[in-house]
Amino acid sequence: MSGIPHPASTPGCAVVKLGGSLITSEGPGGPDVNRALLTARARELAASGRPLVLVHGTGAYGKPPARRYGYLDGRLPSGRAGVVAEVARDLARLELEVVDCLEAGGLKPLRLPAIQLFRARAGCASPLDLGPVRELLARGVTPVIGGNFVLDCDGFAVCSSDIIAVELALALGAASLVLATRAHGVYREHGRGEAIHGQLSESDGDALRKIDAAGQDVSGGMLAKISHGFRAARHGIATYVVDGRVAGNLNGALDGSPLQGTRLLSDRAGG
């Protein structure tokens, strides 16, 4: 039977993750999506013409309920399925807004639910089946995946958008992974200045110890983002943490020259 190829990797493709704090905010009436910024970044990415997977965080839609319902460790037992259903309902509203903005910006987005692509064991999420992502890319579509709950062996676990982005980059053999945030990059002195690292290696112990671990963030904040990003860097994937508010910065990173950001480097290539 002939059809669309189903390659093990997709050379030249890129994975771009738009952070939740970048695309959402807490408004007077509840969480909102920054539609103007999201549409502008979609327009920028569409102009690049690259095969692209877009991952997004949950920000104001996902972090408050994690604190409110007490699952900052990222896990909920089956007996709290009602919480999972409530949060997933609100995340569906976010996902609809995201896809609408991406389409308005000129992309051809198609949302894939995280729960069908990933599964967790003891809270650690890993890919289940990424075949649909590859096939959508082969058809010229932009797969869109947001952080969400996935099934765990004894209940549910949060699958963060950082983990999703890194696992996709590895599985697809992506050329680039861009983690876009509201920060200028990785700050040298978090909370004490605006200077950032131009590049950061996982052997830079002193620098890594100064990075905020974000104990009130279910996704682990910047320190977790960097730790996950190093995994992609080990496999030769050009990995950047960049300021997604800066026009042209995403495509600059995809070309290897972000206007503002930090490149993550590994001392353990191939690990």
Side-chain angles (χ1 to χ4, degrees):
M1 177 179 174
S2 62
I4 298 294
H6 189 168
S9 64
T10 309
C13 79
V15 177
V16 175
K17 184 253 176 161
L18 302 178
S21 63
L22 174 68
I23 64 171
T24 73
S25 61
E26 186 66 41
D32 289 320
V33 174
N34 188 335
R35 292 183 60 90
L37 182 143
L38 185 51
T39 303
R41 296 296 85 84
R43 191 174 296 115
E44 177 181 332
L45 291 169
S48 77
R50 287 180 173 85
L52 173 74
V53 180
L54 196 139
V55 181
H56 66 86
T58 61
Y61 289 77
K63 290 178 172 52
R67 293 190 290 268
R68 183 166 65 249
Y69 291 120
Y71 59 90
L72 286 170
D73 64 350
R75 303 181 69 187
L76 280 170
S78 296
R80 301 190 70 194
V83 172
V84 174
E86 177 187 327
V87 176
R89 175 203 65 202
D90 292 338
L91 293 181
R93 295 171 179 157
L94 165 64
E95 291 163 351
L96 179 61
E97 290 267 336
V98 168
V99 168
D100 189 48
C101 291
L102 297 178
E103 187 174 24
L107 292 171
K108 301 179 180 68
L110 195 154
R111 188 183 74 83
L112 293 172
I115 200 167
Q116 291 184 350
L117 302 175
F118 290 83
R119 189 179 178 95
R121 183 179 295 275
C124 297
S126 58
L128 186 61
D129 179 15
L130 299 181
V133 177
R134 298 186 183 96
E135 294 202 25
L136 287 175
L137 284 170
R139 289 167 167 80
V141 172
T142 297
V144 181
I145 305 103
N148 211 314
F149 289 103
V150 297
L151 297 175
D152 203 337
C153 51
D154 58 352
F156 306 90
V158 173
C159 187
S160 81
S161 51
D162 289 326
I163 290 175
I164 292 172
V166 170
E167 292 292 351
L168 284 166
L170 292 172
L172 297 170
S176 303
L177 169 63
V178 179
L179 305 170
T181 74
R182 281 185 57 82
H184 300 324
V186 181
Y187 291 114
R188 290 183 175 274
E189 298 281 348
H190 180 78
R192 298 173 60 185
E194 297 293 298
I196 64 170
H197 294 279
Q199 59 184 36
L200 186 63
S201 169
E202 55 188 332
S203 65
D204 294 336
D206 289 342
L208 294 174
R209 280 189 285 274
K210 296 178 181 178
I211 297 170
D212 181 30
Q216 291 300 303
D217 186 340
V218 67
S219 67
M222 182 61 80
L223 186 60
K225 185 188 308 297
I226 292 168
S227 298
H228 294 311
F230 281 140
R231 293 179 53 222
R234 284 175 213 155
H235 287 77
I237 299 171
T239 304
Y240 295 90
V241 178
V242 305
D243 191 337
R245 299 168 296 181
V246 178
N249 212 13
L250 298 185
N251 280 352
L254 294 177
D255 288 333
S257 301
L259 303 174
Q260 189 171 59
T262 302
R263 180 162 185 176
L264 302 183
L265 301 173
S266 174
D267 306 303
R268 294 182 281 164

